[in-house]
Structure formats: C-alpha cells, structure tokens
Amino acid sequence: MASPNVSNHPLVLHKLSLLRDKTTDHRTFRELMRELATLLCYEATQDLNVQEVPVETPMGTARGFKAKERIGVVPVLRAGLGMLEGVMQLLPDAQVWHIGLYRDEETLRPVHYYNRLPAQASVQLCLILDPMLATGGSAAATVELLKKSGITNIKYVGIIGAPEGVERLSAAHPDVPIYLAALDERLNDVGFIVPGLGDAGDRQFGT
Ligand code: PRP
C-alpha cells in the first residue's frame, strides 16, 4: 500500500485519542480538531522553501529566513472547515478556497455543490484540508478540481485515513503526499472509518 505520512508526535497521539472519544463534547471536539490541524500543518510544511534575509536584532545582524512560497488552503466543506483556523494560525497569508462536497449516502460517491477556486491560481503549494479519508472519493475529486485549475503541487492533510482511501487517492494521484494523524483499520459496510471517530461534520457542528 502507498505510505501516507502518519504523525507519531506525542501531542498528536494524545489529542487524537481525546477527539475519538465518544464522550467528547462539540466544543472540545472543535478545539481538538483545530489543534491537530496546526500540528499536522507543521509536519506538512517541513519542506517549504525559504529565502535568506538578514535580520537586525537589538544586538546585531542575524541570519534570517522568509518563507517565500505562496500557499493556497482548500477546506472541504463541511468537516474541513474545522481544520482551517488551526492551519491559518501558521499560514496567515495563505489564500483560502472553499470546496463543497458531500458523500451520497447510498453510492458513497462525492457530490460537488460549491467551488470557490480561482480561475487562475498562482500559488506554489496547495493544502487540502479534510479530516476523514474514507473511500478517498472526495479527496480524489478535490485533487482533480485543483489540477484542472492548473495547481500542480498539492498535499492532502487529514486526521484519520482508512487503507481504502489512502490506496485510492495514491493510485489516482501518486504525486499528492498524504499527511494524517492516524491510519485506521478499515471501512465498515456503510463507508465509515473503523474505529475512526464517527461523523466529523456532525460532531463538530452538533447536527
Ligand atoms: C466526509 C468527510 C469527507 C468525506 C470522506 O464528509 O469530511 O469529505 O466524507 O469520505 P470519502 O473518502 O468516502 O469520500 P461528508 O460527506 O460526511 O460531508 P460533511 O463534511 O458535509 O459532513
């Protein structure tokens, strides 16, 4: 199987366990989702290019660095919204493009209902945010949309993935690295990740 980047950071492990817990309330769930998104964004941006720019400190001149890549962030509605703020804390200048997709409950195929991608994108890196990589249909469709807009350097940042989803996304788009907090066992017969955390959208928004 294609190998996703699965974090083994102790804080990720700790926060993910709280996130999974069925007794965690909506407010805490949203807070944990935001914090996990920040931690995973840190891992997904380890290879950003920086430009050397000297910086004047009160004591002299130091070697300074400036992150020079323009970045686009794509939260997939609804559940991806919960990851946005945590990522924007690290990347305050990123452009945000919302994509709306939901999974048809019968067919499990993604249904596309909203798209705020720019006609012409001029970023060097695009991060897709969606906590759950289940069948991989939504993630593959999002990458497809981004590629049609001319974006080539894309990373997927999720929270929990199923082997089926990782396989599907990597087979369709081997050039898109996948960052996760956990790779779970499997999908159940209605397409939910097991053990997972339930429905990420419902648990965030109290629906
Ligand atoms: C969930 C999740 C992904 C998708 C994953 O969204 O946030 O977008 O399902 O499933 P897949 O890998 O099988 O495509 P959902 O359809 O529940 O919509 P919501 O975020 O609006 O609740």
Side-chain angles (χ1 to χ4, degrees):
M1 192 182 76
S3 54
N5 301 283
V6 181
S7 178
N8 57 8
H9 193 292
L11 291 177
V12 170
L13 303 179
H14 176 85
K15 288 175 191 297
L16 177 64
S17 306
L18 297 172
L19 190 79
R20 288 183 189 273
D21 190 329
K22 64 180 181 190
T23 65
T24 296
D25 61 63
H26 303 310
R27 183 182 181 163
T28 312
F29 190 92
R30 285 194 294 272
E31 216 170 276
L32 290 163
M33 181 78 91
R34 177 174 52 74
E35 292 171 343
L36 281 163
T38 305
L39 292 166
L40 292 167
C41 175
Y42 176 79
E43 298 198 352
T45 50
Q46 299 263 13
D47 60 352
L48 275 191
N49 287 314
V50 288
Q51 185 184 351
E52 191 158 345
V53 187
V55 56
E56 294 305 319
T57 80
M59 307 298 287
T61 307
R63 279 179 83 198
F65 300 92
K66 188 177 156 105
K68 62 177 188 180
E69 289 181 31
R70 284 191 305 279
I71 299 174
V73 177
V74 179
V76 179
L77 308 179
R78 290 177 304 169
L81 278 182
M83 297 177 69
L84 181 61
E85 199 195 317
V87 167
M88 295 307 282
Q89 272 176 1
L90 290 188
L91 306 172
D93 297 328
Q95 296 184 31
V96 181
W97 306 322
H98 297 83
I99 297 276
L101 288 176
Y102 70 87
R103 245 178 13 160
D104 180 287
E105 283 177 10
E106 299 284 310
T107 64
L108 298 184
R109 290 170 65 88
V111 181
H112 183 202
Y113 62 89
Y114 192 72
N115 182 343
R116 290 292 289 175
L117 289 181
Q120 192 120 43
S122 62
V123 294
Q124 275 98 34
L125 170 67
C126 197
L127 300 177
I128 297 174
L129 311 181
D130 192 339
M132 308 306 276
L133 181 61
T135 66
S138 305
T142 306
V143 173
E144 201 70 42
L145 288 167
L146 291 174
K147 287 185 172 173
K148 277 192 189 139
S149 292
I151 298 159
T152 50
N153 190 14
I154 301 168
K155 295 183 179 190
Y156 177 92
V157 185
I159 305 281
I160 302 182
E164 294 88 335
V166 169
E167 200 57 64
R168 177 151 174 201
L169 179 56
S170 317
H173 302 286
D175 55 314
V176 174
I178 301 171
Y179 293 83
L180 297 171
L183 180 61
D184 272 9
E185 268 166 45
R186 63 185 171 89
L187 290 182
N188 68 11
D189 52 6
V190 288
F192 269 67
I193 301 176
V194 179
L197 51 72
D199 186 311
D202 288 349
R203 290 197 64 186
Q204 284 180 78
F205 301 117
T207 48

